[in-house]
């Protein structure tokens, strides 16, 4: 539940940031009557924004890769523990069979 909560919280932050960014772009967008300099400055700010977005994407990708590696490690550990549990169950079953065989009287 903690992982799901954290994932949903991250998604909420991303959506809020996206809405804020779109609102900011809309507010700063020069109108039709804006000077060429204002339009160039707006283009530069968009380029800067895109660079920031790319950094965020790279950071998120790195986090995803770390989480995938951790998940794979836990899956391997789980598989190994299931294997050990099966071996244990087989040994207990064999032990019980030996105990029952030892308790039976030998025919004379």
């Amino acid at each position: 539940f903690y992982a799901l909560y954290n994932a949903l919280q991250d998604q909420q932050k991303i959506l809020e940031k996206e809405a804020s960014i779109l609102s900011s772009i809309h507010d700063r967008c020069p109108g039709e009557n804006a000077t060429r300099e204002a339009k160039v400055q707006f283009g530069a700010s968009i380029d800067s924004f895109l660079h920031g977005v790319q950094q965020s994407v790279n950071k998120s990708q790195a986090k995803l890769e770390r989480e995938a590696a951790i998940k794979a490690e836990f899956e391997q550990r789980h598989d190994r523990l299931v294997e050990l549990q099966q071996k244990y169950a087989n040994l207990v079953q064999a032990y019980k069979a030996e105990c029952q065989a030892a308790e039976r009287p030998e025919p004379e």
Side-chain angles (χ1 to χ4, degrees):
F1 291 113
Y2 291 112
L4 177 61
Y5 176 80
N6 289 339
L8 290 175
Q9 195 172 31
D10 288 345
Q11 188 175 14
Q12 180 185 8
K13 287 178 185 177
I14 289 169
L15 291 174
E16 287 173 351
K17 188 172 183 176
E18 183 179 338
S20 171
I21 289 168
L22 290 174
S23 176
S24 174
I25 289 172
H26 182 269
D27 292 343
R28 291 188 316 194
C29 183
E32 294 177 13
N33 298 332
T35 64
R36 178 169 168 70
E37 183 179 312
K39 290 179 181 180
V40 169
Q41 186 178 12
F42 178 73
S45 69
I46 293 295
D47 287 341
S48 174
F49 166 74
L50 289 176
H51 180 69
V53 168
Q54 187 59 45
Q55 286 179 338
S56 294
V57 167
N58 292 341
K59 184 179 176 182
S60 296
Q61 187 66 32
K63 182 179 178 181
L64 175 65
E65 290 171 2
R66 282 192 311 272
E67 294 290 331
I70 290 169
K71 179 184 176 202
E73 180 183 337
F74 279 123
E75 286 176 345
Q76 288 177 351
R77 290 172 63 185
H78 176 263
D79 292 344
R80 177 69 180 139
L81 290 172
V82 167
E83 182 182 323
L84 287 173
Q85 183 182 23
Q86 290 172 346
K87 285 182 181 180
Y88 175 77
N90 290 338
L91 287 172
V92 168
Q93 190 175 21
Y95 177 74
K96 285 181 180 179
E98 287 294 322
C99 287
Q100 288 176 354
E103 289 178 356
R104 289 190 206 128
E106 297 281 328
E108 294 179 25

